[in-house]
Amino acid sequence: MGKIIAIANQKGGVGKTTSAMNLAASLAVLEYKTLVVDADPQANTTSGLGQNPREVELSIYECMVGKANIQDCIVQTDVPHLELVPSHINLVGAEVEMVNLTNREEKMRGVLGEVADNYDFILIDCAPSLGLITINSLTAANSVIIPVQCEYFALEGLGKLLNTITIIQKRLNSSLEIEGILLTMYDVRLRLSNQVVEEVQTHFKNMVFETIIPRNVKLSESPSFGIPAIQHDADSKGALAYLNLAKEIADKNQ
């Protein structure tokens, strides 16, 4: 059965979507059969992997509200071994529609359970909020990656997210683990970046991934071409960092 990893932080702009699409592509390049689920209504992972969100007919939204089967929603990307369940702006409405459903926090778990055996890894790109869709993602997941940017407010909101994870562990998903804290947007020239790295590593110790994701032009550019960085420029620092992260995660889960 594939390992389901949610990539979550309720704080926006921490490199969550960049991490979801590039880590998924890197795992696929290492020949792990990978599915990435775009659970963010902004649909940036969807567009970043070459799909036009406006043209998406079946998305994770239809699966969550019981209007479609997940097998019908999965699309092949241009990266061999990498498939996508796209998102759609309609996902915003899913939270309202699901309020009165029984077991509403477990809809994603049921949906992904149907295909988990077909993949080595399933990555979920969560929305930058702690709403019902993110709670669904964390309930469905085996573990969670928390991206933290190497900037001044890095640790702001992290306590709230860790508290939410603890609540989900107690009430909905006792087996949920923290896969790791991922430091992103690192700029070696900035003293602040180095201070944040030191602070996070001191505070969270072995919970922090060894791989640190640098600020990188190719990482920023690649979504506009609808491809991950490893296809845009495989030798770029950003692409190599996510490849290292994929190896680190694969080794940890052998």
Side-chain angles (χ1 to χ4, degrees), residues 89 96 124 154 172 203 209 235 246:
I89 189 66
V96 178
I124 310 172
L172 296 164
H203 203 74
F209 286 112
D235 295 324

Side-chain angles (χ1 to χ4, degrees), residues 150-219:
C150 298
E151 290 175 4
Y152 184 66
F153 292 114
L155 299 180
E156 193 183 72
L158 197 53
K160 191 175 178 186
L161 177 60
L162 292 170
N163 189 39
T164 301
I165 289 168
T166 303
I167 291 167
I168 286 168
Q169 287 168 330
K170 283 179 183 167
R171 298 183 187 171
L172 296 164
N173 183 1
S174 59
S175 60
L176 181 66
E177 296 177 346
I178 293 175
E179 189 75 26
I181 292 171
L182 176 64
L183 290 158
T184 63
M185 303 181 193
Y186 174 69
D187 189 336
V188 70
R189 299 164 302 177
L190 296 181
R191 202 164 116 230
L192 177 62
S193 271
N194 292 300
Q195 283 174 339
V196 171
V197 169
E198 204 174 297
E199 190 177 346
V200 173
Q201 288 175 337
T202 302
H203 203 74
F204 294 102
K205 300 186 172 61
N206 59 356
M207 282 169 68
V208 185
F209 286 112
E210 284 180 28
T211 305
I212 296 175
I213 308 300
R215 277 199 180 279
N216 181 249
V217 173
K218 300 297 181 185
L219 277 180

Side-chain angles (χ1 to χ4, degrees), residues 25-252:
S26 296
L27 287 165
V29 165
L30 295 173
E31 298 192 346
Y32 291 100
K33 196 153 174 30
T34 306
L35 177 69
V36 59
V37 178
D38 191 351
D40 184 347
Q42 295 173 75
N44 290 336
T45 293
T46 300
S47 58
L49 289 173
Q51 301 293 316
N52 184 342
R54 291 187 192 88
E55 293 173 3
V56 167
E57 290 181 10
L58 294 175
S59 68
I60 190 64
Y61 160 77
E62 281 77 17
C63 298
M64 301 269 292
V65 296
K67 291 179 181 173
N69 193 302
I70 187 166
Q71 276 94 346
D72 299 328
C73 302
I74 294 170
V75 294
Q76 180 62 52
T77 70
D78 290 338
V79 183
H81 307 296
L82 178 60
E83 294 178 339
L84 166 72
V85 177
S87 183
H88 192 278
I89 189 66
N90 287 351
L91 194 58
V92 171
E95 303 221 350
V96 178
E97 287 185 45
M98 290 165 63
V99 162
N100 295 320
L101 297 180
T102 52
N103 300 328
R104 60 179 184 264
E105 297 90 355
E106 299 187 15
K107 296 300 176 188
M108 180 87 78
R109 178 189 273 168
V111 167
L112 297 184
E114 293 176 34
V115 294
D117 289 340
N118 303 342
Y119 299 94
D120 297 307
F121 291 97
I122 297 176
L123 302 186
I124 310 172
D125 180 20
C126 299
S129 73
L130 292 177
L132 188 54
I133 303 296
T134 298
I135 288 167
N136 258 271
S137 302
L138 293 171
T139 303
N142 304 117
S143 65
V144 54
I145 291 173
I146 304 169
V148 172
Q149 83 281 38
C150 298
E151 290 175 4
Y152 184 66
F153 292 114
L155 299 180
E156 193 183 72
L158 197 53
K160 191 175 178 186
L161 177 60
L162 292 170
N163 189 39
T164 301
I165 289 168
T166 303
I167 291 167
I168 286 168
Q169 287 168 330
K170 283 179 183 167
R171 298 183 187 171
L172 296 164
N173 183 1
S174 59
S175 60
L176 181 66
E177 296 177 346
I178 293 175
E179 189 75 26
I181 292 171
L182 176 64
L183 290 158
T184 63
M185 303 181 193
Y186 174 69
D187 189 336
V188 70
R189 299 164 302 177
L190 296 181
R191 202 164 116 230
L192 177 62
S193 271
N194 292 300
Q195 283 174 339
V196 171
V197 169
E198 204 174 297
E199 190 177 346
V200 173
Q201 288 175 337
T202 302
H203 203 74
F204 294 102
K205 300 186 172 61
N206 59 356
M207 282 169 68
V208 185
F209 286 112
E210 284 180 28
T211 305
I212 296 175
I213 308 300
R215 277 199 180 279
N216 181 249
V217 173
K218 300 297 181 185
L219 277 180
S220 306
E221 279 178 356
S222 65
S224 64
F225 294 95
I227 52 175
I230 204 158
Q231 283 187 309
H232 183 45
D233 184 349
D235 295 324
S236 65
K237 283 185 178 175
L240 291 171
Y242 278 109
L243 197 57
N244 286 335
L245 177 65
K247 288 173 183 169
E248 194 177 335
I249 289 168
D251 288 346
K252 188 178 170 185

